[in-house]
Amino acid sequence: MGLLEFNKLPINTLVGADWATFRAVCDGRDIDRGYRQKYMLTKAVCRLLSLLTPIQDARYRRRLADKPLEHPPVFILGHWRSGTTFMHNVFSCDSHFGYNTTYQTVFPHLMMFGQAFFKKNMAWLMPDKRPTDNMELSVDLPQEEEFALANMMPYTYYNFWFFPKYMHEYCDRYLTFERITPEELRVFEEVFTKLIKISLWNTHGTQFLSKNPPHTGRVRELVKMFPDAKFIYLVRNPYTVFESTRSFFNNTIKPLKLEDISPEEMERNILDIYTKLYKRYQADKALIPKGNLVEVKFEDYETDAFGMTRQIYADLGLPGFKEAEEAIRAYTDKKKGYKKNAYKYDDRTVRLVEENWGYALKDWGYSM
């Protein structure tokens, strides 16, 4: 157990942003009265740490900027709470994969300089379990890269953690890219490529393994950037996804937000944005070249994670399964007794899911 409780953090994750990103994210936004002290402390720490950013930038330009990627990335897609973390952890047992770490999500500019010192302090402070479930937390464990991107540029969906009232605006601009500008898209491509190269350097991998729910709405752009990228799309029972996402968002946002949002508004946003994300993926998945996409029900994957992982390697033509087989089996065997949160669907939940996500129930054959 870390020194600090997640929901009582005196600062939020913007402490690891570069100064230009911090200012752009917060520019024109009102900070609610109850969060001004957190904002000012986060701002002060960010300003101080951002003085170190040029050191990493210089090292990146010298060592990695011109280095080509050896293999196209592998993207694990799916709405939040669809089992993407579990799959990410399974595949990351293969040492040929590189990934974004939990430390990197908070301090992406302190990777090639100062990492040993800052990581040690982060490990000392952070809890060892995620606040919404029983999944382990550690500075070196794989993590979704959107948190890191949110500290590297202002053009990410995860700005909503800080300013949740603008959730739909961030969705349309930076989740589905429907309203993103050409310049913002250019910056996204540049920064994401930089993150991938630093992640591979840091974890000694040769192929980037991504687990990032927001990428589910960016398939068109990802195929343009990486024409031979591999994609795994996870879908899970929508009743469970709704209950779990509501719990996850409402709990995770507490230490991060700088303005209030009502539970009712958050619930409405979850319902609406699931639909936007689902429909964007369905519209764009045809752009993925044949043989580069596998779609999986999480319930099936959870039942036989080892066997389905082996099949996914074969279907996507991924290298390295034989070498990683023992490590993958050890991890999946260890997780067989993992105790998940149990969800009971009340009548209201059933009604909301069926009224708003009935298309997903029908498309994937889910029912009560």
Side-chain angles (χ1 to χ4, degrees):
M1 178 64 70
L3 184 64
L4 297 177
E5 295 181 43
F6 184 81
N7 62 355
K8 296 180 181 179
L9 293 176
I11 53 179
N12 70 23
T13 53
L14 278 172
V15 291
D18 61 89
W19 185 236
T21 294
F22 182 94
R23 293 180 62 186
V25 169
C26 298
D27 185 42
R29 303 300 193 216
D30 292 327
I31 311 299
D32 284 355
R33 183 180 300 275
Y35 307 100
R36 290 175 187 170
Q37 184 174 344
K38 174 175 286 190
Y39 168 75
M40 294 304 296
L41 182 57
T42 301
K43 181 180 180 180
V45 176
C46 172
R47 188 70 181 100
L48 180 63
L49 292 180
S50 65
L51 296 175
L52 302 175
T53 299
I55 300 175
Q56 171 159 298
D57 287 346
R59 294 187 178 186
Y60 173 77
R61 288 193 298 270
R62 186 168 63 250
R63 300 180 186 179
L64 300 177
D66 296 329
K67 186 177 180 180
L69 298 177
E70 293 183 44
H71 304 285
V74 175
F75 293 100
I76 299 173
L77 308 178
H79 191 275
W80 296 264
R81 316 308 295 159
S82 292
T84 55
T85 295
F86 177 58
M87 178 177 279
H88 196 210
N89 289 343
V90 172
F91 275 72
S92 67
C93 293
D94 182 344
S95 62
H96 105 272
F97 283 124
Y99 46 80
N100 185 94
T101 65
T102 300
Y103 170 80
Q104 188 177 359
T105 63
V106 183
F107 298 113
H109 303 292
L110 295 170
M111 296 296 296
M112 304 182 76
F113 171 81
Q115 181 176 170
F117 172 79
F118 289 102
K119 187 164 68 174
K120 182 177 180 180
N121 284 277
M122 181 175 169
W124 179 57
L125 292 171
M126 69 182 288
D128 58 4
K129 299 287 184 182
R130 294 203 310 197
T132 53
D133 54 28
N134 294 315
M135 294 295 287
E136 66 266 34
L137 272 179
S138 172
V139 288
D140 290 318
L141 282 177
Q143 187 59 261
E144 60 190 74
E145 61 263 23
E146 195 75 8
F147 286 106
L149 291 172
N151 278 339
M152 298 174 74
M153 63 177 174
Y155 312 130
T156 72
Y157 178 59
Y158 277 7
N159 292 343
F160 90 82
W161 291 119
F162 318 119
F163 300 104
K165 292 178 183 177
Y166 299 88
M167 205 166 175
H168 275 286
E169 176 184 330
Y170 295 137
C171 172
D172 294 342
R173 293 178 69 182
Y174 307 133
L175 181 64
T176 63
F177 283 175
E178 289 184 4
R179 292 175 49 211
I180 196 169
T181 68
E183 175 59 17
E184 290 170 343
L185 200 56
R186 183 196 66 78
V187 172
F188 173 86
E189 293 176 352
E190 180 181 294
V191 171
F192 186 37
T193 300
K194 180 179 181 179
L195 179 143
I196 290 174
K197 291 182 178 182
I198 292 175
S199 298
L200 292 173
W201 169 85
N202 181 57
T203 55
H204 310 290
T206 58
Q207 185 168 24
F208 185 66
L209 178 67
S210 164
K211 188 280 291 194
N212 198 48
H215 285 335
T216 310
R218 302 167 180 159
V219 168
R220 180 181 296 270
E221 176 64 18
L222 296 176
V223 171
K224 185 184 84 171
M225 291 179 67
F226 312 104
D228 197 33
K230 313 297 182 180
F231 295 87
I232 308 166
Y233 176 68
L234 275 169
V235 65
R236 189 180 187 184
N237 187 321
Y239 299 106
T240 301
V241 168
F242 174 70
E243 289 280 5
S244 188
T245 302
R246 184 171 58 184
S247 173
F248 171 57
F249 279 19
N250 286 332
N251 282 283
T252 302
I253 206 169
K254 288 178 182 178
L256 303 179
K257 64 182 179 179
L258 297 173
E259 65 180 14
D260 283 317
I261 184 172
S262 70
E264 294 78 16
E265 188 175 0
M266 176 60 79
E267 184 178 84
R268 187 68 253 167
N269 287 343
I270 290 169
L271 291 167
D272 291 345
I273 288 169
Y274 178 100
T275 295
K276 290 184 177 183
L277 193 65
Y278 188 94
K279 291 185 175 179
R280 173 53 57 194
Y281 169 76
Q282 292 297 124
D284 289 349
K285 70 178 184 179
L287 300 172
I288 300 173
K290 185 177 180 181
N292 284 1
L293 170 65
V294 172
E295 297 185 323
V296 179
K297 273 189 173 182
F298 175 67
E299 293 81 3
D300 296 335
Y301 186 76
E302 185 180 38
T303 299
D304 182 18
F306 178 80
M308 291 198 71
T309 298
R310 178 171 53 195
Q311 188 60 50
I312 291 169
Y313 267 76
D315 290 345
L316 294 178
L318 297 175
F321 183 81
K322 184 177 180 181
E323 293 77 6
E325 181 174 0
E326 184 177 344
I328 292 173
R329 186 183 290 279
Y331 183 82
T332 55
D333 285 350
K334 182 179 69 173
K335 289 300 176 181
K336 286 180 179 178
Y338 168 69
K339 186 177 181 181
K340 300 180 300 178
N341 290 336
Y343 296 98
K344 295 181 179 179
Y345 315 124
D346 58 27
D347 291 343
R348 181 174 179 275
T349 291
V350 172
R351 177 178 58 80
L352 284 173
V353 171
E354 292 179 351
E355 288 179 354
N356 291 274
W357 299 351
Y359 54 86
L361 294 169
K362 181 180 178 182
D363 288 350
W364 287 93
Y366 284 107
S367 65
M368 291 296 296

